[in-house]
Amino acid sequence: MRPWEVLTQDKRTIFCIDRRAGDDPDLSQLLPGIAPIQRMHQVHGCSIRQVMPDSDPAITQSADAMVATGGAVSLLVRTADCVPVVLWDHDLPLTAVIHAGWKGFVAGVVPATIESLVAAGASNLRAWVGPSICGACYPVGIDVQAQVVAVCAATQSVTDHGEPSVSIALGVIDQLQQSQVAVVGHDARCTLQTQELYSARGGDQVQRIQIVVAFDG
Ligand SMILES: [Zn+2]
């Protein structure tokens, strides 16, 4: 079995690397032939790192989205319950990844990334939404639920035990669709309930699902 899955090949190749690859896979070894992998230091905000083909892969500035506006690039987003999103323009060499937990969602990281792509000329955006924790498994305080639901009512949920919860994935999908982004794929597996995936709530301290989008220019 391969340690990664090819999730879509609609102009961009999206690879999802889960726990079968080990705790700290060497991505360049796993995915030979792709452009150098660009990373970000994820901090649950809404800052965006702009990436060019000649960007230094050693730079890991604090950001929760990366936008690439040309050439061959590979972008990495790492998650364990938060929502990973890959965005691309169907016609232009514009690609982005987003890390959206509840704080980043409330901070507006999804619309900020869409705005950045539109400012770069995007007009035919598509998105793939990766696996995250589901509403049935994600209890939050009522103050957090209120902040999230104020951004998007579709997020309101309740856990299997009757506690207030939120589904950030449903909110992200709603925001994408409100912005006329076509959601061409959603891996709806729950990270807590799926053995193959990492879950911070499930006890995975440092391990993360690694999603790489590779665009060959
Ligand atoms: Zn779940």
Side-chain angles (χ1 to χ4, degrees), residues 133-137 190 192-193:
I133 195 165
C134 80
C137 297
C190 171
L192 185 68
Q193 294 179 63

mmCIF file of all heavy atoms in Angstrom, residues 133-137 190 192-193, ligand 1:
data_model
loop_
_atom_site.group_PDB
_atom_site.id
_atom_site.type_symbol
_atom_site.label_atom_id
_atom_site.label_comp_id
_atom_site.label_asym_id
_atom_site.label_seq_id
_atom_site.Cartn_x
_atom_site.Cartn_y
_atom_site.Cartn_z
ATOM 1 N N ILE A 133 -12.275 17.021 11.965
ATOM 2 C CA ILE A 133 -13.137 16.447 13.009
ATOM 3 C C ILE A 133 -14.584 16.863 12.741
ATOM 4 O O ILE A 133 -14.847 18.000 12.352
ATOM 5 C CB ILE A 133 -12.648 16.889 14.412
ATOM 6 C CG1 ILE A 133 -13.285 16.023 15.496
ATOM 7 C CG2 ILE A 133 -12.899 18.374 14.652
ATOM 8 C CD1 ILE A 133 -12.603 16.149 16.863
ATOM 9 N N CYS A 134 -15.510 15.939 12.955
ATOM 10 C CA CYS A 134 -16.911 16.237 12.646
ATOM 11 C C CYS A 134 -17.615 16.831 13.859
ATOM 12 O O CYS A 134 -17.114 16.775 14.987
ATOM 13 C CB CYS A 134 -17.626 14.974 12.155
ATOM 14 S SG CYS A 134 -18.145 13.847 13.476
ATOM 15 N N GLY A 135 -18.774 17.407 13.606
ATOM 16 C CA GLY A 135 -19.535 18.064 14.670
ATOM 17 C C GLY A 135 -19.911 17.119 15.799
ATOM 18 O O GLY A 135 -19.973 17.524 16.964
ATOM 19 N N ALA A 136 -20.136 15.856 15.476
ATOM 20 C CA ALA A 136 -20.551 14.894 16.498
ATOM 21 C C ALA A 136 -19.445 14.602 17.503
ATOM 22 O O ALA A 136 -19.706 14.086 18.589
ATOM 23 C CB ALA A 136 -21.000 13.590 15.831
ATOM 24 N N CYS A 137 -18.198 14.935 17.132
ATOM 25 C CA CYS A 137 -17.026 14.597 17.962
ATOM 26 C C CYS A 137 -16.309 15.805 18.535
ATOM 27 O O CYS A 137 -15.239 15.661 19.120
ATOM 28 C CB CYS A 137 -16.021 13.816 17.116
ATOM 29 S SG CYS A 137 -16.605 12.230 16.515
ATOM 30 N N CYS A 190 -14.101 11.618 9.400
ATOM 31 C CA CYS A 190 -13.825 12.323 10.660
ATOM 32 C C CYS A 190 -12.443 11.899 11.152
ATOM 33 O O CYS A 190 -12.162 10.707 11.273
ATOM 34 C CB CYS A 190 -14.893 11.987 11.686
ATOM 35 S SG CYS A 190 -14.508 12.595 13.337
ATOM 36 N N LEU A 192 -11.163 12.110 14.084
ATOM 37 C CA LEU A 192 -11.173 11.413 15.372
ATOM 38 C C LEU A 192 -11.607 9.957 15.212
ATOM 39 O O LEU A 192 -11.091 9.066 15.882
ATOM 40 C CB LEU A 192 -12.101 12.125 16.365
ATOM 41 C CG LEU A 192 -12.095 11.554 17.782
ATOM 42 C CD1 LEU A 192 -10.756 11.793 18.470
ATOM 43 C CD2 LEU A 192 -13.210 12.149 18.630
ATOM 44 N N GLN A 193 -12.529 9.727 14.307
ATOM 45 C CA GLN A 193 -13.101 8.385 14.176
ATOM 46 C C GLN A 193 -12.349 7.494 13.186
ATOM 47 O O GLN A 193 -12.659 6.307 13.091
ATOM 48 C CB GLN A 193 -14.559 8.487 13.706
ATOM 49 C CG GLN A 193 -15.491 9.135 14.706
ATOM 50 C CD GLN A 193 -16.910 9.231 14.159
ATOM 51 O OE1 GLN A 193 -17.556 8.237 13.888
ATOM 52 N NE2 GLN A 193 -17.369 10.453 13.974
HETATM 53 ZN ZN ZN B 1 -16.479 12.575 14.287
#
